Amino acid sequence: MKRVVAVDSASALIDKRIEGLGDWRGQTLAKVRAVIHAADPEIIEEVKWRGTPVFSHGGIVCTGETYKSIVKLTFAKGAALQDPARLLNSSLEGNVRRAIDIHEGDKIDEAALKDLIRAAVALNLEGKSKSKPERAGSTTHRKTTS
């Protein structure tokens, strides 16, 4: 059974995670979280996959994972995003996802990150507005009366 976490609870869990890290990773996650919300105030915070912070609007925008030596922002549809500032520096070989690995001491280009967040949201919303095309080979059967 899938466990659903209320949005307020998810935000509290992310706060707790940041506080629990207690080092540069927590500070960095808090900073990128603030940039994400500044880019799009309608972002929803979720916690999935054993505690991973997830930022969504019309679908997953990105996750905020923390590892021993990096904070990783993984963009669900990163391969489809324009990235003129070349922030996406990890998971470049995949067909769908792309990520930003942030190391201790790295400076975050907040303006470029905001642009990337907004582009990811726009891509999600664009996908939601398109109607699903009918599958090839499918037929619609209607009952007719004579």
Side-chain angles (χ1 to χ4, degrees), residues 2-22:
K2 195 184 247 188
R3 183 173 166 232
V4 176
V5 178
V7 172
D8 290 341
S9 297
S11 293
L13 288 172
I14 295 170
D15 288 341
K16 194 173 188 175
R17 179 170 191 108
I18 289 169
E19 184 180 314
L21 288 166

Side-chain angles (χ1 to χ4, degrees), residues 15 18 41 56 73 109 112 133 135 143 146:
D15 288 341
I18 289 169
S56 301
L73 294 180
D109 183 340
R135 288 187 296 167
K143 183 177 179 182
S146 324

Side-chain angles (χ1 to χ4, degrees), residues 107-137:
K107 182 166 173 26
I108 299 165
D109 183 340
E110 293 183 29
L113 181 55
K114 285 179 184 177
D115 289 343
L116 201 58
I117 295 294
R118 290 179 185 129
V121 169
L123 184 61
N124 283 350
L125 295 178
E126 177 184 302
K128 295 280 184 191
S129 68
K130 290 182 181 175
S131 61
K132 293 185 180 177
E134 208 172 289
R135 288 187 296 167

